[in-house]
Amino acid sequence: MRSVEISFENHEFYAGQKLVASITHDDDLTQPWIVMVNGEEIHRANTFKRCHSYITWHYQRGTLPIQEEETPVATTGNEIMVQIADECEKYGFEILNDGIYDHDRKLGEVGCTNSRWWVIRATSVHQQKIPCDSAFDAVWALSMVELTQPSCKELLDKPFDRLTANDRNSYGNISHSQTSLLIAVSSQTPTWHG
């Protein structure tokens, strides 16, 4: 029997090419690890290892429920792209050849392989596919990507009255004389307050 790690919290167990069971994780404080067969919880334990032992022991004795074959949903590449495009449109994201963008900033990629949705964040160091339940979840995950602090040039190009408190504090506190200079530069009629 072999284990395939889908994510830290999700593993699938195979005998040959046949799916036997899966282990997932939830927020239960005492027994967060769950053995699932056919989408139903059949065992719960406090460690991953105990769930693994449960699957192995019951499989070897033939007492583990039989995993039914999943009927794959027939989807075409076009149907997948339509779902992704619909979700991106809700957030105002743009889809380009190499990923999903928000105002010229790459957020990442979304896809569906073998009826399993995934997302790769552009900020991810290892560029791993993170499993998701749907196109909605995948695009939502991209919308949650923290944007980096604006560059000094971006701040200088932004009108003073449109700067947020975060923008003003991005490069340290601005002293009174600098603030006066910035106000003078951004006002309609140039004046010097020094």
Side-chain angles (χ1 to χ4, degrees):
M1 187 167 337
R2 68 183 169 89
S3 169
V4 175
E5 182 177 359
I6 306 301
S7 68
F8 172 74
E9 297 178 341
N10 296 295
H11 293 74
E12 293 179 342
F13 289 83
Y14 291 86
Q17 296 298 317
K18 186 175 182 343
L19 178 64
V20 173
S22 61
I23 296 178
T24 190
H25 186 274
D26 70 10
D27 294 328
D28 187 280
L29 294 176
T30 57
Q31 294 185 321
W33 295 99
I34 307 164
V35 175
M36 305 283 288
V37 176
N38 296 321
E40 293 182 27
E41 177 181 328
I42 62 165
H43 179 74
R44 211 175 246 278
N46 62 338
T47 65
F48 174 85
K49 179 65 178 150
R50 287 192 174 162
C51 285
H52 181 272
S53 296
Y54 177 89
I55 292 170
T56 304
W57 193 85
H58 283 280
Y59 180 77
Q60 289 172 346
R61 284 157 187 77
T63 57
L64 190 68
I66 296 172
Q67 177 74 37
E68 296 172 6
E69 293 290 324
E70 288 184 26
T71 309
V73 178
T75 54
T76 66
N78 287 342
E79 290 170 336
I80 291 168
M81 285 306 296
V82 166
Q83 289 180 45
I84 295 170
D86 286 345
E87 294 305 323
C88 285
E89 187 176 344
K90 292 175 186 175
Y91 291 95
F93 296 160
E94 184 179 13
I95 301 174
L96 300 177
N97 288 338
D98 65 335
I100 296 174
Y101 286 77
D102 182 28
H103 299 95
D104 298 328
R105 182 169 297 173
K106 184 173 181 179
L107 300 176
E109 300 173 38
V110 170
C112 185
T113 308
N114 297 328
S115 298
R116 294 179 188 260
W117 286 95
W118 51 264
V119 61
I120 300 173
R121 290 190 174 132
T123 57
S124 171
V125 175
H126 301 292
Q127 295 292 294
Q128 289 183 314
K129 291 180 180 177
I130 301 167
C132 297
D133 294 327
S134 64
F136 170 82
D137 289 343
V139 174
W140 177 83
L142 286 182
S143 74
M144 295 285 107
V145 171
E146 279 191 37
L147 301 177
T148 59
Q149 98 178 19
S151 71
C152 188
K153 182 177 179 343
E154 288 174 320
L155 288 177
L156 289 172
D157 289 342
K158 197 172 192 178
F160 183 75
D161 60 333
R162 297 200 54 216
L163 290 175
T164 65
N166 261 359
D167 292 338
R168 292 183 190 120
N169 294 325
S170 290
Y171 289 92
N173 290 332
I174 300 174
S175 68
H176 181 68
S177 62
Q178 290 171 325
T179 304
S180 297
L181 178 60
L182 285 173
I183 291 170
V185 170
S186 68
S187 67
Q188 296 285 342
T189 56
T191 56
W192 175 259
H193 301 278

